[in-house]
């Protein structure tokens, strides 16, 4: 079952800035992960925890090694929503610092169903 994919405004802006081929690859990866976004052994999710001095417990990542992009997302388990929080360069510090800034901006809403659909 595919989870509903939602996205915060800042990540939506970053997604729109990607060129066509990158956009397709990122979208395909998000759709793939949305079928099983929880951590292994049953899913694709990679939990973040404490990264670069930022407490990102409850956040997950998708790595696109070949294209240098990373997507950070959260989950709303009870309604099966995947919130896309960051779409950025794969640079660890930048990506995780940006995720922490979005958490500071949105607070616990980042773990709730209240954003626009991505597709």
């Amino acid at each position: 079952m595919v989870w509903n994919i939602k996205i915060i405004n800042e990540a939506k802006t970053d997604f729109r800035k990607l060129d066509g081929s990158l956009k397709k690859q990122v979208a395909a990866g998000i759709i793939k992960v949305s079928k099983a976004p929880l951590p292994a052994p049953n899913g694709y999710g990679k939990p973040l925890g404490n990264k670069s001095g930022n407490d990102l417990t409850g956040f997950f990542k998708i790595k696109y090694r070949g294209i240098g992009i990373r997507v950070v997302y959260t989950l709303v388990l009870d309604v099966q929503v995947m919130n896309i929080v960051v779409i950025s360069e794969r640079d660890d510090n930048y990506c995780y610092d940006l995720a922490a800034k979005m958490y500071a901006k949105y607070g616990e809403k980042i773990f709730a169903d209240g954003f626009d659909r991505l597709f």
Side-chain angles (χ1 to χ4, degrees), residues 13-34:
T13 299
D14 291 336
F15 182 74
R16 287 180 179 150
K17 288 180 184 176
L18 296 174
D19 74 40
S21 64
L22 283 179
K23 195 179 290 185
K24 286 180 184 177
Q25 289 177 49
V26 170
I30 290 170
I31 291 168
K32 175 184 174 184
V33 171
S34 74

Side-chain angles (χ1 to χ4, degrees), residues 53-108:
N54 297 306
D55 182 9
L56 298 176
T57 303
F59 288 75
F60 300 86
K61 68 180 174 185
I62 305 169
K63 284 167 67 170
Y64 297 84
R65 290 185 205 118
I67 60 174
I69 300 287
R70 184 165 285 153
V71 172
V72 176
Y73 66 94
T74 62
L75 299 173
V76 187
L77 298 174
D78 59 337
V79 291
Q80 293 192 320
V81 168
M82 181 178 169
N83 286 327
I84 306 300
V85 177
V86 173
I87 299 174
S88 79
E89 300 170 15
R90 202 170 132 217
D91 180 326
D92 284 348
N93 291 333
Y94 176 74
C95 180
Y96 300 136
D97 289 346
L98 189 54
K101 286 179 186 173
M102 294 302 102
Y103 185 33
K105 178 178 180 178
Y106 290 99
E108 291 302 310

